Amino acid sequence: MSTAAPTAARPKKIWMDGQLVDPADAKVSVYDHGLLYGDGCFEGLRGYKGRIFKMDSHLRRLEESAERIRLKIPYSRADLARAMKETMAACGMDDCYIRLVVTRGVGTLGLHPFKCPRPGVIIVVDTIQLYPHELYRAGMKVIVAKRPRIPTECLDPAIKSLNYLNNILAKIEAIDADVLEAIMLNTAGEVSECTGDNIFAIKGGRIHTPPTSAGILHGITRQFVIDDLAPALGIPVEERRMVLDDLYGADEVFLTGTAAEIIGVSAIGDRAIGCGRMGPLTEKLEAEFRRRIMAGAPED
Ligand code: PMP
């Protein structure tokens, strides 16, 4: 029997550098390079019935991001796993969205990252509803951003860094067009991903998605579709370079992300995709995703 008090009865707690603090006390210094320069990295995770979906994969990706910006996280994976569970418990939230942030830490007013002696680590447990509920059945309209995804040789999109301005500016293009997501092309004009989601197309019963070499975040939901969901349903998946015509001519297009989960695309700009709503195979993938989560979200 659960002895947990209802969520609303408990004050929310934020985990900061090893301590659980009240939100009012969760403050970041104006000298933190995460704030001054977007110098740091993060993960967005989801708790389902007390289990953290693909927690190990997220912690591995965080470590890889940190290594690539030469940031040493002052906690082990086991420490961070424990801290996330502890924060969920303190917030009384089994179903939640978790933001795990590592900043370069407090330094001087200059770029020099190694003058910041200790990285800051923050865990926020909250809820998220990225897109309105009804769009999950109806399908979501998206646009193609004019702005390309930042080239890998400038800042590899595989690094989940605190600098999201490339994505935010594309998101503003979407908002200006009255939609909530934008497809981003790489500088070679190929499809890469969306501002906060990976992208897939289905044609003739086969799933296609851009390879990581197209310059994308190596999405954990994307990998779950490729390794688990599609094989379980007997749907072949191919990672291959894609252009916009591959999306326009697809039977179905869908997006994946921790916050978005799996959502169908009904139109790209003024071009309807497939049947103009969430397609049948996307629906099957979504149902399989839900079934796996409800059976006990895998944490590995
Ligand atoms: N691409 C970008 C740019 C993202 O920020 C995200 C996460 N919101 C994704 C893809 C999806 O990745 P994941 O499935 O790991 O959440």
Side-chain angles (χ1 to χ4, degrees):
M1 192 185 81
S2 168
T3 53
T7 305
R10 285 200 182 181
K12 230 190 230 166
K13 291 284 186 186
I14 311 287
W15 192 96
M16 280 194 93
D17 303 319
Q19 307 282 337
L20 281 170
V21 298
D22 288 333
D25 299 321
K27 293 180 178 151
V28 176
S29 164
V30 295
Y31 289 98
D32 193 307
H33 281 211
L35 173 69
L36 289 173
Y37 301 115
D39 186 355
C41 51
F42 76 101
E43 282 297 317
L45 309 89
R46 252 190 202 265
Y48 295 97
K49 297 204 289 186
R51 295 173 64 83
I52 300 174
F53 176 68
K54 290 280 165 189
M55 177 175 67
D56 294 352
S57 304
H58 279 282
L59 290 174
R60 234 178 294 126
R61 187 171 68 183
L62 183 73
E63 257 174 28
E64 279 162 19
S65 294
E67 261 166 36
R68 293 182 68 181
I69 62 169
R70 295 183 55 194
L71 174 59
K72 176 107 189 60
I73 304 173
Y75 298 97
S76 68
R77 271 187 225 168
D79 290 337
L80 293 175
R82 220 174 301 113
M84 286 191 288
K85 292 281 174 85
E86 194 191 336
T87 314
M88 283 167 72
C91 294
M93 292 176 85
D94 280 349
D95 293 290
C96 57
Y97 180 78
I98 305 164
R99 179 56 59 93
L100 170 54
V101 182
V102 184
T103 74
R104 184 71 68 180
V106 173
T108 55
L109 289 180
L111 288 180
H112 203 320
F114 306 136
K115 288 188 176 166
C116 308
R118 191 176 163 88
V121 183
I122 302 164
I123 297 169
V124 182
V125 168
D126 211 323
T127 55
I128 198 163
Q129 179 74 52
L130 200 58
Y131 305 126
H133 233 278
E134 56 277 14
L135 293 187
Y136 282 79
R137 285 284 149 247
M140 182 164 78
K141 205 176 158 195
V142 304
I143 59 150
V144 179
K146 291 194 181 73
R147 176 183 313 274
R149 190 79 175 97
I150 200 159
T152 304
E153 56 272 32
C154 296
L155 175 60
D156 191 341
I159 300 171
K160 199 163 168 63
S161 88
L162 289 181
N163 192 320
Y164 252 56
L165 272 178
N166 179 224
N167 313 50
I168 289 167
L169 291 172
K171 178 93 173 178
I172 290 172
E173 289 188 49
I175 294 162
D176 284 348
D178 250 349
V179 299
L180 292 172
E181 186 54 295
I183 296 165
M184 299 183 80
L185 306 179
N186 60 25
T187 46
E190 301 159 344
V191 174
S192 64
E193 59 178 338
C194 293
T195 70
D197 304 307
N198 290 114
I199 190 161
F200 292 79
I202 304 177
K203 179 79 179 170
R206 297 179 71 83
I207 299 179
H208 303 280
T209 195
T212 53
S213 58
I216 61 171
L217 180 74
H218 303 181
I220 284 161
T221 322
R222 170 187 182 276
Q223 207 58 46
F224 193 57
V225 169
I226 295 171
D227 294 341
D228 292 82
L229 300 181
L233 297 171
I235 310 172
V237 187
E238 195 188 334
E239 292 178 64
R240 67 166 171 86
R241 300 202 165 262
M242 293 170 70
V243 293
L244 275 177
D245 277 341
D246 294 316
L247 299 179
Y248 293 140
D251 302 327
E252 302 178 36
V253 171
F254 66 92
L255 313 181
T256 63
T258 299
E261 300 177 318
I262 296 176
I263 187 163
V265 169
S266 57
I268 300 172
D270 53 13
R271 303 169 77 142
I273 300 299
C275 57
R277 61 180 294 280
M278 186 191 215
L281 287 185
T282 306
E283 209 164 309
K284 278 193 179 163
L285 287 162
E286 204 279 329
E288 180 65 10
F289 177 73
R290 195 67 42 208
R291 195 185 66 73
R292 301 285 187 101
I293 296 304
M294 288 304 127
E299 293 196 313
D300 59 322

